[in-house]
Amino acid sequence: MKIAVVGTGYVGLVTGTCFAETGNDVICVDIDAGKVKKLSNGQITIYEPGLEKLFLRNLKEERLKFTTSLEDGIKDAQIIFLALPTPPGEDGSADLKYILGVSDSLGKILKDYKVVVDKSTVPVGTAEKVHAAISKNYKGEFDVVSNPEFLREGVAVDDFMKPDRVVIGTSSERARKVMNDLYNPFVRQGNPIIFMDERSAELTKYAANSFLATKITFMNEVALLCEKLGADVDMVRRGIGSDERIGKRFLFPGIGYGGSCFPKDVQALVKSSQEVSYDFRILNAVMDVNEKQKLHLMPKVKKYFSGNLKGKHFALWGLAFKPNTDDIREAPALYMIDALVAEGATVTVFDPEAMNNVKQLIGDKVKYAESQYEALEGADALIIATEWNEFRTPNFLKIVTTLKSKVIFDGRNLFDIAAIRELGFYYESVGRAPSNATGKKS
């Protein structure tokens, strides 16, 4: 099939590349001429494991192309995917200006039947708005379909190529057949293509992300209770995760969720609920708890240092909101940095992929290390904010000989309590008792 993908952000680039990988001819459209030039020259603009290999292969085979011209991009396409940003507005609602702006432009250049697909995460009723925007200037036949993405950053290629399910919202039999033909190669193992109406498809995306955010937040609240009752959250997690009705995933406690999806989508669903006079109380609580959870380690850090962090220096491992991505949107690490600096402390950071993005955002507010061990030099304590694999089994001898004191505050529960105690560390984590060692060098 011939496919146009409008927008070359995270969703657009993964979508375009993966469709090209199954033999489709894909043209990606973006107004950023600099980005289009880079992509056309083989410079990938996001970090996502496994994506670059597919990107370069399909670029070489000329199944994947890039342009700044919307008209050229959609001219021969049977399907047009809208993979445009929907940032939160000041009131928390999703801003549809990019999607509706492109829809208006499409109405002026369409000449034959197309299936226009909302791939972006959009509020209920957006498909109708897109249809209306196109119809203002184009009176021919076309269909608007809702096809939400369920891509997890860090494993997005696998998620796209082997989806748990494909959700397609359409009331058109013609569009249904086109979309079914497009996605059939991705579900050969029997996972479902679920057809529904457009509004239900739009809500499915928000409901899915909001439920997962709720599950994470519930476990974080259990962790807080464990700290007060003297229970171990790891034991509780294993105990409840073995119940197949609950499941093992999204039960790891930490310092809150971040990223481009959960914060924005929960907020947008709450706003959509308010617009129809419905008080979504659970999600309001989720947002409140998560905001506080991002700074859960700060009281522990301040208590250890007798309430005074002025002049203290910290090493911080992890800046991305999760491992295997360079995405720092709503990352808990950024909240920790702000809080530490506000208390008069200094911070040296290390992240395998996200440091350039942090530099662009906060500049010289922190120092940037070339390695996780270089970040420890002169630090009074280590703070762990992201669970990158290379942080899970570090060289503890290097940590001991580089840190000024054997003190670790772990926001992702990477280490075994007993093992870390034997090494002589003072160790604080989430939902577990601190180690008993003083951690201070004699």
Side-chain angles (χ1 to χ4, degrees):
M1 288 189 177
K2 295 185 182 298
I3 298 169
V5 179
V6 184
T8 61
Y10 181 83
V11 173
L13 195 55
V14 171
T15 297
T17 300
C18 290
F19 277 136
E21 178 67 10
T22 53
N24 298 293
D25 292 321
V26 180
I27 298 182
C28 295
V29 183
D30 201 291
I31 60 172
D32 186 335
K35 182 189 281 191
V36 166
K37 184 177 180 180
K38 284 182 178 179
L39 291 167
S40 298
N41 291 332
Q43 294 176 260
I44 199 162
T45 51
I46 62 172
Y47 174 76
E48 177 62 36
L51 182 63
E52 186 171 19
K53 181 180 178 181
L54 303 187
F55 167 78
L56 292 173
R57 177 161 65 220
N58 285 283
L59 195 66
K60 181 181 178 182
E61 296 295 329
E62 297 186 345
R63 289 192 297 265
L64 183 63
K65 298 177 181 178
F66 299 88
T67 182
T68 57
S69 170
L70 181 63
E71 187 167 8
D72 290 345
I74 66 99
K75 181 174 57 177
D76 297 321
Q78 299 159 271
I79 309 172
I80 303 168
F81 282 88
L82 304 183
L84 296 153
T86 54
E90 292 183 5
D91 62 354
S93 61
D95 190 341
L96 297 177
K97 65 183 177 184
Y98 300 109
I99 288 176
L100 295 181
V102 169
S103 300
D104 183 70
S105 297
L106 285 174
K108 298 172 183 176
I109 58 179
L110 287 182
K111 293 181 172 59
D112 54 13
Y113 176 80
K114 311 283 188 188
V115 177
V116 179
V117 183
D118 283 334
K119 196 66 176 169
S120 308
T121 301
V122 293
V124 174
T126 299
E128 296 159 27
K129 293 179 180 179
V130 169
H131 196 282
I134 296 172
S135 296
K136 281 192 301 182
N137 295 294
Y138 179 64
K139 305 307 178 185
E141 288 188 289
F142 69 98
D143 284 307
V144 177
V145 171
S146 175
N147 173 218
E149 52 86 14
F150 298 98
L151 305 178
R152 295 168 295 162
E153 293 189 50
V155 288
V157 172
D158 281 346
D159 283 347
F160 199 102
M161 300 301 289
K162 301 173 185 176
D164 292 333
R165 79 292 200 195
V166 177
V167 172
I168 297 173
T170 181
S171 53
S172 162
E173 282 301 318
R174 187 176 182 182
R176 176 179 175 135
K177 184 180 185 309
V178 171
M179 298 299 290
N180 190 72
D181 290 346
L182 176 66
Y183 274 108
N184 257 330
F186 297 91
V187 293
R188 296 180 65 188
Q189 293 180 330
N191 289 343
I193 298 177
I194 305 172
F195 286 95
M196 58 184 72
D197 63 274
E198 296 88 341
R199 284 181 165 243
S200 295
E202 290 164 344
L203 183 54
T204 295
K205 168 65 175 180
Y206 280 117
N209 277 357
S210 295
F211 180 81
L212 295 174
T214 301
K215 193 173 181 182
I216 292 169
T217 304
F218 175 81
M219 206 63 212
N220 283 336
E221 289 234 84
V222 170
L224 302 185
L225 187 59
C226 284
E227 292 181 359
K228 293 185 179 294
L229 295 178
D232 186 323
V233 74
D234 281 347
M235 300 297 104
V236 177
R237 173 178 58 79
R238 292 172 189 170
I240 68 173
S242 59
D243 186 328
E244 63 181 16
R245 297 169 300 175
I246 296 172
K248 299 175 182 179
R249 298 171 68 182
F250 289 87
L251 288 181
F252 287 87
I255 49 174
Y257 61 77
S260 62
C261 294
F262 285 7
K264 174 175 68 70
D265 293 354
V266 172
Q267 190 178 42
L269 185 52
V270 168
K271 179 60 180 176
S272 293
S273 302
Q274 291 171 347
E275 290 173 353
V276 291
S277 301
Y278 182 74
D279 182 11
F280 213 137
R281 288 175 289 175
I282 289 176
L283 293 188
N284 278 303
V286 166
M287 290 192 296
D288 181 58
V289 171
N290 190 64
E291 198 67 16
K292 293 181 174 67
Q293 193 70 16
K294 291 175 182 178
L295 294 176
H296 177 65
L297 292 181
M298 276 303 294
K300 301 182 180 195
V301 174
K302 290 184 71 174
K303 182 179 179 182
Y304 180 83
F305 289 103
S306 304
N308 183 15
L309 302 185
K310 191 171 184 179
K312 299 297 180 184
H313 183 63
F314 294 91
L316 190 145
W317 285 0
L319 296 169
F321 84 94
K322 62 180 283 189
N324 296 320
T325 182
D326 60 356
D327 194 340
I328 60 170
R329 285 172 285 186
E330 295 295 321
L334 299 180
Y335 289 75
M336 284 295 300
I337 288 169
D338 285 344
L340 291 167
V341 171
E343 293 284 341
T346 54
V347 186
T348 298
V349 302
F350 174 77
D351 187 282
E353 294 295 338
M355 289 205 293
N356 284 337
N357 288 342
V358 171
K359 283 180 184 178
Q360 292 176 21
L361 183 67
I362 66 173
D364 60 359
K365 181 180 282 189
V366 297
K367 294 181 180 178
Y368 302 90
E370 293 295 321
S371 73
Q372 65 195 83
Y373 300 109
E374 181 185 308
L376 303 174
E377 294 176 4
D380 294 288
L382 166 64
I383 297 171
I384 301 173
T386 312
E387 62 274 32
W388 284 91
N389 283 339
E390 49 261 63
F391 300 161
R392 293 180 182 275
T393 53
N395 185 327
F396 282 104
L397 180 59
K398 281 189 177 182
I399 295 177
V400 168
T401 55
T402 309
L403 272 178
K404 287 170 65 177
S405 300
K406 294 196 288 185
V407 182
I408 298 175
F409 298 94
D410 181 0
R412 299 300 177 184
N413 290 9
L414 297 190
F415 306 139
D416 178 75
I417 293 279
I420 205 82
R421 182 182 295 127
E422 287 182 11
L423 292 168
F425 281 90
Y426 180 84
Y427 178 70
E428 290 258 21
S429 51
V430 181
R432 307 186 296 180
S435 72
N436 293 326
T438 64
K440 295 185 178 180
K441 292 181 179 178
S442 58

